[in-house]
Amino acid sequence: MAIKVIEINKSVYADSIKLADETRQRLKEQGTCLLNLMASPGAGKTTLLLKTIENLSSYCIGVMEADIEASVDAEKLQAAGVQSIQVHTGGECAMNASMTKQALDEFDTSGLDLVFLENVGNLVCPAEEDVGAHKKVALLSVPEGDDKPLKYPLMFQVVDAVVITKTDARAFFNFDDEAVCERIHQLNPSAEIFFVSAKTGEGLESWCDWVRRNLFV
Amino acid sequence: MAIKVIEINKSVYADSIKLADETRQRLKEQGTCLLNLMASPGAGKTTLLLKTIENLSSYCIGVMEADIEASVDAEKLQAAGVQSIQVHTGGECAMNASMTKQALDEFDTSGLDLVFLENVGNLVCPAEEDVGAHKKVALLSVPEGDDKPLKYPLMFQVVDAVVITKTDARAFFNFDDEAVCERIHQLNPSAEIFFVSAKTGEGLESWCDWVRRNLFV
């Protein structure tokens, strides 16, 4: 089956806050939770998604892959049998409420319990946009370093949870678990933090439990 | 010594192309090469800079550290005795020509052979800006994956060179050197590509040779 690719119209809706709220409300009414997943390029978003969806196999889950170009992630998901569409942002560095609405209009979410938006790989711009998600999650991979909350504070302030990924590489990269938690909680005391390795399965269960608790079903 | 921190005025200059050209011309006349270093968060820009400056110790080199917030990178450079300033972009996801001019106005570059601009960690926005540099370099770290040129093509199109960093982690992350070169050269046939590990020293010599060849001295 060919990958469905949406080329986004960049025109911004007049009232993006209203639009985001409408999206949130409409999805909630139909019982679909929208989870906005944000991170740097290569932090492991797609790999985490694949493992998460496998773990939550009793739920109907779809993925909207947002990228500047290419469809490599949507191809990976489709190969794993995940219902997904590819959104091309036309150069934009993040999804916004209008772009998300356009994508949702093309994606049949009516039977879905959960939709992941895999945002453009970027630790800056996506933090500034309310796309209409019910929950926001940032991934930070161990190779990126434990100092990133200091340098990209907004991302860690706006999210409900942070997943530290590639934890199997912890020793290799001299990553300080305690320091990263302290830095995140200084910015965002209520942020839940999960340490996950998609490779070894470490922490996957707690992360999936958190996702499950946030569904409307 | 306290770190010099420049809080950037976001007002954009009317003619940014003209401003970038003026910066380029002015620096060239005084014999200073400006090199714009761009990459995702945590790709290893600061670590590569420290090793590069150590290797090129016969030259006078300065660094402008651009970050959304915090001064951790400038502190690392200053601790190593490198002449540096910290630029805070006020939330902006990349440096532009006007911001670079403001930073240069505060940084005494008159005796410098080379100034590195360590741009905000971001694989999207910095690619769109001509800051007035003589050369543009993208770093891509092995843990990010060899598919990134497919997903962030503009960055790999606009640069003169690409440094693949953290190559000591190559086996751990199943990174395909040949595939990444092919993807980069498809976008940018003349891009020079270097494989460097700041940890083991692999490839550092060739990368530093390239930097040396691009100086005006």
Side-chain angles (χ1 to χ4, degrees):
Chain A
M1 196 177 76
I3 304 259
K4 185 160 190 176
V5 178
I6 316 295
E7 305 288 342
I8 287 290
N9 178 340
K10 271 180 277 185
S11 70
V12 174
Y13 208 77
D15 190 344
S16 68
I17 297 172
K18 188 165 164 269
L19 187 61
D21 281 337
E22 280 169 10
T23 295
R24 205 164 10 246
Q25 186 57 30
R26 185 172 60 79
L27 289 174
K28 193 179 176 182
E29 279 164 12
Q30 73 176 37
T32 307
C33 174
L34 177 61
L35 204 155
N36 182 7
L37 211 63
M38 302 174 281
S40 298
K45 292 183 290 298
T46 312
T47 307
L48 181 71
L49 278 185
L50 284 167
K51 291 286 176 182
T52 304
I53 292 166
E54 198 182 303
N55 194 291
L56 298 173
S57 59
S58 57
Y59 298 95
C60 290
I61 305 179
V63 179
M64 299 195 296
E65 279 293 334
D67 279 297
I68 306 273
E69 275 189 43
S71 304
V72 286
D73 290 341
E75 281 161 18
K76 274 185 214 165
L77 288 157
Q78 193 170 290
V82 178
Q83 187 175 333
S84 58
I85 55 165
Q86 177 73 53
V87 182
H88 285 164
T89 65
E92 293 298 295
C93 59
M95 290 289 279
N96 62 24
S98 160
M99 292 154 82
T100 303
K101 186 185 179 303
Q102 289 175 62
L104 284 165
D105 286 347
E106 298 288 330
F107 194 37
D108 181 15
T109 60
S110 54
L112 299 178
D113 303 314
L114 172 59
V115 172
F116 285 108
L117 168 63
E118 183 179 336
N119 220 313
V120 179
N122 191 315
L123 220 45
V124 185
C125 317
E128 296 164 5
E129 301 290 344
D130 180 1
V131 300
H134 302 98
K135 292 287 164 186
K136 292 187 266 191
V137 177
L139 269 63
L140 172 65
S141 68
V142 160
E144 290 173 74
D146 52 43
D147 62 346
K148 292 303 162 288
L150 299 172
K151 298 174 69 180
Y152 305 92
L154 185 64
M155 177 59 79
F156 296 90
Q157 269 158 12
V158 300
V159 293
D160 302 286
V162 177
V163 184
I164 309 293
T165 59
K166 308 190 189 183
T167 57
D168 50 295
R170 209 189 258 120
F172 198 85
F173 287 103
N174 202 20
F175 189 91
D176 188 333
D177 287 11
E178 219 171 289
V180 86
C181 287
E182 209 174 286
R183 286 164 186 161
I184 294 167
H185 282 147
Q186 212 147 42
L187 293 162
N188 183 349
S190 65
E192 302 237 22
I193 305 175
F194 302 97
F195 288 84
V196 176
S197 164
K199 214 184 244 179
T200 67
E202 179 200 337
L204 199 64
E205 203 54 57
S206 331
W207 153 246
C208 290
D209 273 349
W210 182 84
V211 175
R212 203 179 284 116
R213 285 202 306 276
N214 282 295
L215 300 181
F216 302 123
V217 285
Chain B
M1 197 177 76
I3 304 261
K4 183 160 191 176
V5 178
I6 316 293
E7 305 288 343
I8 286 289
N9 178 340
K10 272 182 276 186
S11 71
V12 175
Y13 208 78
D15 189 343
S16 68
I17 298 172
K18 188 165 164 270
L19 186 61
D21 281 338
E22 279 169 10
T23 295
R24 204 160 14 243
Q25 186 59 28
R26 186 172 59 81
L27 289 174
K28 192 177 176 184
E29 278 165 12
Q30 72 175 39
T32 307
C33 174
L34 177 61
L35 204 154
N36 182 7
L37 211 63
M38 301 174 283
S40 298
K45 294 184 288 299
T46 312
T47 306
L48 181 72
L49 278 184
L50 283 167
K51 289 288 177 180
T52 304
I53 292 167
E54 197 182 303
N55 194 290
L56 297 173
S57 60
S58 57
Y59 299 94
C60 289
I61 304 179
V63 179
M64 298 195 297
E65 281 293 335
D67 279 297
I68 307 273
E69 274 189 44
S71 303
V72 285
D73 290 341
E75 281 161 18
K76 275 185 213 165
L77 288 158
Q78 194 169 291
V82 178
Q83 187 175 333
S84 57
I85 55 166
Q86 177 73 53
V87 182
H88 286 164
T89 65
E92 294 297 296
C93 60
M95 290 289 280
N96 63 24
S98 160
M99 293 154 82
T100 304
K101 187 186 178 304
Q102 289 176 63
L104 284 165
D105 286 348
E106 298 288 331
F107 193 37
D108 181 15
T109 59
S110 55
L112 299 178
D113 302 314
L114 172 60
V115 172
F116 284 107
L117 169 63
E118 184 179 334
N119 219 313
V120 179
N122 191 314
L123 220 44
V124 184
C125 316
E128 296 164 6
E129 301 289 344
D130 180 1
V131 301
H134 302 98
K135 293 288 165 184
K136 291 188 266 191
V137 177
L139 268 64
L140 171 64
S141 69
V142 159
E144 289 173 74
D146 52 42
D147 62 345
K148 292 302 161 290
L150 299 172
K151 298 175 69 180
Y152 305 91
L154 185 64
M155 178 59 81
F156 296 89
Q157 268 158 13
V158 301
V159 293
D160 301 288
V162 177
V163 184
I164 311 293
T165 58
K166 309 191 189 182
T167 57
D168 50 294
R170 210 189 260 120
F172 198 85
F173 287 102
N174 203 21
F175 189 90
D176 188 334
D177 287 11
E178 220 171 288
V180 86
C181 287
E182 210 174 284
R183 286 162 186 163
I184 293 166
H185 283 147
Q186 212 147 42
L187 294 162
N188 184 348
S190 64
E192 302 236 22
I193 305 176
F194 303 96
F195 288 84
V196 176
S197 163
K199 215 183 244 180
T200 67
E202 179 200 337
L204 199 64
E205 202 55 56
S206 330
W207 152 246
C208 290
D209 273 349
W210 182 84
V211 175
R212 203 179 285 119
R213 284 201 306 278
N214 283 296
L215 301 181
F216 301 124
V217 285

